[in-house]
Amino acid sequence: MESFSLQRKRSDMATVDPAFKIIPKGQACFFIWRIENLQVVPVPRESHGTFFKGDAYIVLSARDTKGALDMHAHFWIGSESTQDEQGVAAYKTVELDDYLGGAPVQHRETEGAESSLFLNYFKKKGGLTYKNGGVASGFNHVDMKMEPRLFQAKGKHVVRLTELRTIDWSSMNQGDVFILDLGSVIFCWNGKNSNRAERLQAMQRAKQVRDDRGGNANVIVIEDGEESRLSADEQQLFESKLPLKDKRNIKLESSDDARSERDAAATIKLYRCADEQDGLKVTEVKGGPLVKADLDTKDSYIIDNGPNGIWAWIGKGASNNERKEAMRNAMGFLKKKNYPDQTAVTRVIDGGESTEFKALFSKWPEPAATKGLGRTYTVGNVAKVVQTRFDAATMHHNRGLAAETQMVDDGTGKIEMWRVESFEMKPVPKQSYGQFYGGDCYLILYTYQVQNRDNYIVYYWLGHKSTADEQGAAARFAVELDDKHGGTPVQVRVVQGKEPPHFMAMFGGRMVVFEGGHASGFRNSGEKDTDGPGDTFLLHVRGTSKMNSKAVQVPCRAVSLNSNDVFVFFVKSATYIWCGKGSTGDEREMAKTVASLRPCDPVTVFEGQEKPDLWQALGGQAPYSNDKRLQEPDVVMPVRLFQLSNATGRIQVEEVNEFTQEDLVPEDVMLLDSWDTIFLWIGENSNKQERDEAEQVAFGYLRTDPSGRDSSIPVVRIKQGNEPPTFTGFFGFWNHDYWTSTLSYDAVKAHTQARNEPQRVVEKPVAGTVPTEVAKYPYEMLAKPASQLPDGVNPENREDDA
């Protein structure tokens, strides 16, 4: 185990900065402050989303989430800000936290590596804009001048617009979009490998600038390689700053849009922090996977998730100093470990953990009604709503319930079932529907109707002892069934033991998994074929209704019994239902359904009342598990959305925070993680590599999950336009006509340029720079609301007039 100490300073937080007194306590709000001359100064709302590289900022977000305030305090560090400014931002964030009673989650953000939560704040404003320079301070002063500027647009969901130091081709690459702002003309140049989101966001930004200038600017969109299509005047103006003869200096690709560090994230460690006289002592407690019980409320901890972030957790019994110094200590830990400076650092308090923090743990039990969690999923919830009507019309109307229970209907639709045998799909007789063998693979086509329209689900079930060849054949046959039905079915990969609720519901409580398998051409010739359970076998029955029950064959010995459950014991001349003392009436009723596999009436035997012939048939009486099973509390886990893309040449994964339907990108594959199910949404314009590798990315995602989850949970493949309610219910409002009513990229491009005045570039060319002799105003005048600014001052760029 590793331990070390971190030295630290102590600060006086007895008073609060006057700038924070504008916060309405107990109400939703959003504020940004900038550190100016080492003082905290509010940023006008119309300037939110614009950050200067030479500055440091504090951002407070308080949202009403399910009746509770979800509060986050961020301090943002510009790449060119001074150590003094960074220090003020950090300790003023702690001061803000104290003022708000310690409720906010604290985040350290760095320019270009912001968290998805931080980026999401500025989504509706078109993303972030980084500008060169910063406000005047005792350590840095940059004079802002009106002059031509080149911006780089980068990102998939929330675009970062970064002002570049120089205007030349060597600063550009073919993987991003660039905006060349020449005043009366704004060029949007699209790298050939840029993504659709960047192109659309760049056009939107250019339109915003044009509108801010009263419409007195042309927006011209240029595709990489099509510069020659510009008019003579447009090309002359463009080449005045970016001569085409120098284009050979352009970079082929950008740096990765998404910092996918999943392999490193798989390693997670927990450290206990102790407040000692000479500093903070940090001692390693354990590696992953972690559970909530690992955190003692009397202590404080650091959770080390490598490049994916450092988390400081403060228990309710931790010292006041540990709470105040948590962020400083975590940053000291980061430096001690030699992690990159842009590594995220976040502080959470006991009882106020964020969903991202809880996702680091394999178990985080809490009441399902807990407030303030955002979008969550209660694991295994179908058992609690078995009285609900599960017909297809109801579930498609109540998509939230469908998502929570993972039920599209009650399972009474049409079933067709096949077993994989010798490279072929062999039909299973209807009387054997629901009977599976652990050495085999099966395919099921399920058909149900909604508003007189057929909907399909293709399940492929993989037995634990099936071969890799059989599993591969099952996946291929699933694709063939999908193609046969026009590409509309939902595909679901099901591994033995991880069957989703609807899968079990299809068989009405009669699902049975036997040992062995059918003779297959994939097996070695020496392997034994054990098709069928024989006359004597023992089934372990789990479930309380026809919606969630199944039986699994276990060794026919007394040691297999368990006092908490029900077992059905088949012998040649009789059928016994053995009921453990801890079993429920519902479980015993489901055992009767399983016993009906044979026509004879079953004999019910309660634990402790067994006759000698029963023990004899089981090979003799023997000890078995009889400890009372404790009821596990509900596990409420966050639902998370990720975008899969290979725009940079390899598949990468980027999380989308606070997602909606609009975040499903038709050019990519999306991964929705609802904890015990992984959904793969296939955009209609995604490329072949992304589609082909989607499942492998999902398996890699599970394999590298720091929570240590089982990688055999169901994986559901869904095509754009054929989304079932079990998927759409996670998105809130869902518009089935959304993609048909959304303008294409070409239509948006045409609409953007339709307002251009062809002669403007000729009449008002911009050669060189826009005149720098402009009126200057004192800061106090520029800090006023937009309606009180002097004539000619742009609220979005008021720093230019300082």
Side-chain angles (χ1 to χ4, degrees):
M1 293 291 182
E2 125 184 63
S3 65
F4 47 85
S5 296
L6 300 173
Q7 299 295 323
R8 59 175 180 261
K9 300 176 183 178
R10 303 180 187 273
S11 53
D12 181 12
M13 300 293 175
T15 59
V16 65
D17 196 292
F20 296 145
K21 293 186 177 180
I22 61 175
I23 300 170
K25 288 193 175 181
Q27 299 179 33
C29 59
F30 186 82
F31 291 99
I32 300 179
W33 298 269
R34 179 162 57 179
I35 307 304
E36 301 181 5
N37 297 315
L38 307 184
Q39 301 296 313
V40 180
V41 179
V43 173
R45 185 166 296 276
E46 58 270 20
S47 295
H48 287 185
T50 297
F51 293 83
F52 284 83
K53 300 177 184 178
D55 290 329
Y57 294 78
I58 298 171
V59 176
L60 173 68
S61 168
R63 297 177 304 161
D64 191 345
T65 306
K66 295 184 179 180
L69 276 185
D70 182 25
M71 303 183 71
H72 295 264
H74 310 253
F75 60 97
W76 184 93
I77 305 301
S79 59
E80 299 169 7
S81 59
T82 67
Q83 289 292 327
D84 298 86
E85 290 167 330
Q86 295 175 24
V88 171
Y91 86 74
K92 284 293 182 180
T93 301
V94 176
E95 184 178 310
L96 172 63
D97 179 81
D98 277 351
Y99 181 60
L100 297 174
V105 175
Q106 288 184 38
H107 306 260
R108 173 180 178 267
E109 309 281 358
T110 56
E111 177 191 325
E114 296 86 355
S115 65
S116 60
L117 175 65
F118 187 87
L119 293 174
N120 191 67
Y121 298 148
F122 308 100
K123 192 181 209 176
K124 293 183 179 179
K125 294 182 70 70
L128 298 180
T129 299
Y130 307 134
K131 289 190 174 181
N132 294 327
V135 298
S137 73
F139 303 89
N140 183 30
H141 179 82
V142 179
D143 290 324
M144 301 301 300
K145 298 180 180 180
M146 287 287 290
E147 57 185 12
R149 293 174 177 175
L150 180 64
F151 293 87
Q152 178 184 28
K154 189 176 182 63
K156 297 184 181 72
H157 285 272
V158 180
V159 170
R160 298 177 174 96
L161 201 63
T162 304
E163 183 181 355
L164 302 180
R165 284 292 178 189
T166 58
I167 303 177
D168 57 61
W169 287 105
S170 63
S171 301
M172 300 166 65
N173 65 76
Q174 294 180 317
D176 292 320
V177 175
F178 294 82
I179 297 176
L180 177 61
D181 184 0
L182 299 181
S184 62
V185 179
I186 304 166
F187 291 99
C188 293
W189 184 88
N190 298 325
K192 66 179 182 180
N193 296 322
S194 60
N195 66 64
R196 178 177 178 269
E198 289 171 338
R199 298 180 182 195
L200 291 173
Q201 292 278 18
M203 281 193 283
Q204 182 62 32
R205 288 296 193 92
K207 288 193 293 183
Q208 288 175 354
V209 173
R210 177 175 65 189
D211 293 343
D212 290 340
R213 295 172 183 169
N216 296 318
N218 276 359
V219 175
I220 300 173
V221 182
I222 309 172
E223 304 299 335
D224 186 1
E226 298 181 5
E227 294 86 358
S228 60
R229 295 188 179 184
L230 294 171
S231 70
D233 295 305
E234 291 170 346
Q235 185 166 334
Q236 180 181 354
L237 185 55
F238 182 76
E239 289 201 79
S240 69
K241 293 299 174 187
L242 292 170
L244 291 178
K245 64 181 178 63
D246 296 333
K247 190 181 177 183
R248 63 181 180 275
N249 297 323
I250 196 172
K251 301 181 181 70
L252 294 179
E253 294 291 347
S254 66
S255 58
D256 293 344
D257 286 344
R259 294 177 299 114
S260 180
E261 304 285 357
R262 294 295 302 180
D263 288 337
T267 302
I268 189 168
K269 290 185 177 181
L270 178 68
Y271 294 82
R272 180 181 288 109
C273 305
D275 191 11
E276 299 185 351
Q277 189 172 6
D278 61 343
L280 182 78
K281 185 176 182 181
V282 179
T283 306
E284 182 179 341
V285 177
K286 62 175 292 191
L290 306 179
V291 296
K292 184 180 182 181
D294 292 329
L295 303 176
D296 188 332
T297 190
K298 299 188 298 294
D299 293 322
S300 60
Y301 295 86
I302 289 175
I303 290 90
D304 178 5
N305 197 206
N308 272 32
I310 301 298
W311 299 78
W313 183 87
I314 310 302
K316 291 178 180 177
S319 71
N320 190 49
N321 196 61
E322 286 175 349
R323 182 176 63 81
K324 288 183 177 181
E325 297 291 332
M327 286 298 283
R328 191 198 302 269
N329 294 333
M331 287 187 286
F333 178 90
L334 183 149
K335 294 183 183 300
K336 190 80 176 178
K337 298 290 254 178
N338 292 317
Y339 288 153
D341 288 340
Q342 69 268 24
T343 302
V345 179
T346 308
R347 188 219 69 172
V348 297
I349 60 172
D350 187 357
E353 297 87 357
S354 64
T355 56
E356 293 81 5
F357 180 82
K358 293 172 185 175
L360 298 171
F361 292 73
S362 61
K363 289 185 178 180
W364 193 276
E366 59 187 323
T370 297
K371 294 182 178 181
L373 282 180
R375 192 171 295 151
T376 58
Y377 173 70
T378 304
V379 177
N381 216 30
V382 68
K384 300 188 172 89
V385 289
V386 293
Q387 301 303 319
T388 301
R389 187 182 178 194
F390 281 106
D391 63 273
T394 298
M395 302 312 286
H396 280 252
H397 176 72
N398 191 344
R399 295 178 298 101
L401 179 62
E404 182 179 10
T405 61
Q406 284 300 289
M407 300 285 286
V408 296
D409 68 356
D410 57 5
T412 57
K414 179 184 176 183
I415 297 174
E416 297 175 74
M417 187 171 173
W418 298 266
R419 179 159 60 176
V420 176
E421 296 180 19
S422 304
F423 295 95
E424 295 182 0
M425 291 171 56
K426 293 295 182 68
V428 173
K430 287 188 177 181
Q431 64 268 25
S432 298
Y433 281 7
Q435 297 179 26
F436 298 81
Y437 290 85
D440 289 327
C441 295
Y442 295 81
L443 290 107
I444 297 167
L445 175 64
Y446 183 78
T447 306
Y448 66 101
Q449 284 200 335
V450 179
Q451 297 179 345
N452 296 319
R453 176 178 173 266
D454 284 341
N455 291 263
Y456 305 99
I457 303 175
V458 174
Y459 290 102
Y460 58 105
W461 186 91
L462 311 177
H464 277 328
K465 296 183 179 179
S466 60
T467 67
D469 286 332
E470 287 172 326
Q471 294 179 15
R476 177 169 56 83
F477 290 141
V479 174
E480 291 180 4
L481 281 174
D482 184 294
D483 292 341
K484 182 179 178 181
H485 291 82
T488 61
V490 172
Q491 293 182 42
V492 186
R493 176 184 181 268
V494 181
V495 175
Q496 178 183 340
K498 296 293 182 179
E499 294 83 5
H502 186 263
F503 188 90
M504 292 183 282
M506 289 190 300
F507 306 108
R510 297 171 63 87
M511 179 182 171
V512 180
V513 180
F514 295 110
E515 293 180 343
H518 192 276
S520 171
F522 296 84
R523 287 194 173 82
N524 295 326
S525 58
E527 293 188 29
K528 184 180 179 182
D529 170 25
T530 56
D531 192 5
D535 292 329
T536 302
F537 55 96
L538 181 64
L539 298 180
H540 183 185
V541 181
R542 295 296 301 272
T544 57
S545 77
K546 293 182 178 181
M547 299 289 182
N548 63 5
S549 295
K550 66 179 176 180
V552 179
Q553 185 178 358
V554 293
C556 200
R557 299 193 302 271
V559 71
S560 299
L561 300 177
N562 187 310
S563 293
N564 296 289
D565 297 322
V566 180
F567 293 77
V568 180
F569 184 31
F570 294 89
V571 296
K572 192 169 184 178
S573 58
T575 300
Y576 299 95
I577 297 177
W578 185 88
C579 306
K581 292 179 180 178
S583 63
T584 67
D586 289 335
E587 290 171 332
R588 293 192 286 271
E589 285 301 311
M590 294 318 302
K592 292 179 183 178
T593 301
V594 174
S596 66
L597 289 172
R598 282 193 180 171
C600 60
D601 292 333
V603 178
T604 301
V605 179
F606 290 93
E607 183 178 8
Q609 300 178 11
E610 302 88 354
K611 294 182 179 179
D613 60 338
L614 178 64
W615 292 124
Q616 184 178 357
L618 285 170
Q621 194 168 358
Y624 54 83
S625 177
N626 57 10
D627 292 335
K628 185 176 181 180
R629 180 183 295 125
L630 298 176
Q631 183 176 357
E632 293 189 4
D634 288 333
V635 178
V636 182
M637 301 305 297
V639 180
R640 308 171 75 185
L641 181 69
F642 298 85
Q643 182 176 13
L644 280 57
S645 174
N646 71 338
T648 58
R650 63 185 179 91
I651 296 289
Q652 298 199 13
V653 181
E654 179 181 16
E655 184 166 6
V656 182
N657 199 276
E658 294 297 317
F659 57 84
T660 65
Q661 182 183 5
E662 295 179 8
D663 292 308
L664 297 174
V665 180
E667 287 77 17
D668 286 322
V669 173
M670 311 295 292
L671 184 152
L672 181 76
D673 178 5
S674 68
W675 187 252
D676 58 7
T677 302
I678 297 293
F679 297 89
L680 293 170
W681 182 87
I682 312 299
E684 62 182 12
N685 297 325
S686 58
N687 64 48
K688 187 176 186 301
Q689 182 188 0
E690 291 168 346
R691 295 193 299 271
D692 291 347
E693 297 184 15
E695 277 80 5
Q696 292 307 313
V697 173
F699 301 148
Y701 168 80
L702 289 169
R703 176 179 55 80
T704 58
D705 186 351
S707 69
R709 248 184 309 171
D710 191 335
S711 61
S712 62
I713 64 174
V715 176
V716 181
R717 187 181 180 99
I718 299 167
K719 291 189 178 69
Q720 179 183 337
N722 295 285
E723 298 84 0
T726 48
F727 175 80
T728 62
F730 291 115
F731 287 81
F733 175 74
W734 185 272
N735 178 7
H736 288 283
D737 299 321
Y738 172 71
W739 287 290
T740 58
S741 60
T742 302
L743 291 177
S744 67
Y745 166 73
D746 289 333
V748 174
K749 177 179 173 181
H751 182 265
T752 299
Q753 298 183 119
R755 290 179 54 185
N756 288 349
E757 297 181 20
Q759 299 303 313
R760 182 176 299 278
V761 233
V762 178
E763 293 177 354
K764 297 183 180 180
V766 180
T769 64
V770 178
T772 58
E773 295 297 324
V774 295
K776 298 290 182 180
Y777 301 96
Y779 172 77
E780 292 75 14
M781 186 174 294
L782 293 175
K784 293 180 179 181
S787 59
Q788 301 177 26
L789 290 175
D791 291 341
V793 175
N794 182 352
E796 292 290 338
N797 299 284
R798 60 182 75 199
E799 292 81 2
D800 299 338
D801 298 281

